[in-house]
Amino acid sequence: MDEMTCPQCQSQMSPRPVGDVSVHQCGSCHGIFLERADLGVLIEAENDYHRDSGPKTQPLPRITADMVAPPPKAPVSRSYIETLFG
């Protein structure tokens, strides 16, 4: 799988390392060819990247019939200055 011809423009494709996989890229149209297993590795790497970059939130609990409403929360100050005059 060293020498490949681009299916789009019939130019020479050259191997290029991307993360833990090797893809073939066309020098003319810049198209990419990779194996199905390599696509799975790239998708997992993308998911891992985004898993740690989003907001940290807890999942919402399921509502059941035996649940009661939580007690009302105390008002939260918008700033430190507001606590001085509140």
Side-chain angles (χ1 to χ4, degrees), residues 9 12 37 39:
C9 66
Q12 182 70 26
L39 178 61

Side-chain angles (χ1 to χ4, degrees), residues 16-74:
R16 184 173 75 112
V18 177
D20 295 337
V21 300
S22 177
V23 300
H24 285 75
Q25 185 170 19
C26 177
S28 179
C29 71
H30 304 288
I32 300 285
F33 180 84
L34 62 146
E35 295 180 15
R36 185 182 301 248
D38 293 340
L39 178 61
V41 171
L42 292 175
I43 289 171
E44 287 299 318
E46 182 75 10
N47 288 339
D48 291 343
Y49 174 81
H50 288 288
R51 182 177 302 119
D52 298 329
S53 67
K56 307 298 184 232
T57 59
Q58 294 294 324
L60 293 173
R62 292 193 174 269
I63 297 173
T64 60
D66 62 337
M67 291 181 129
V68 295
K73 292 184 180 181

Side-chain angles (χ1 to χ4, degrees), residues 67-82:
M67 291 181 129
V68 295
K73 292 184 180 181
V76 178
S77 299
R78 295 177 290 181
S79 67
Y80 176 71
I81 300 293
E82 189 176 50

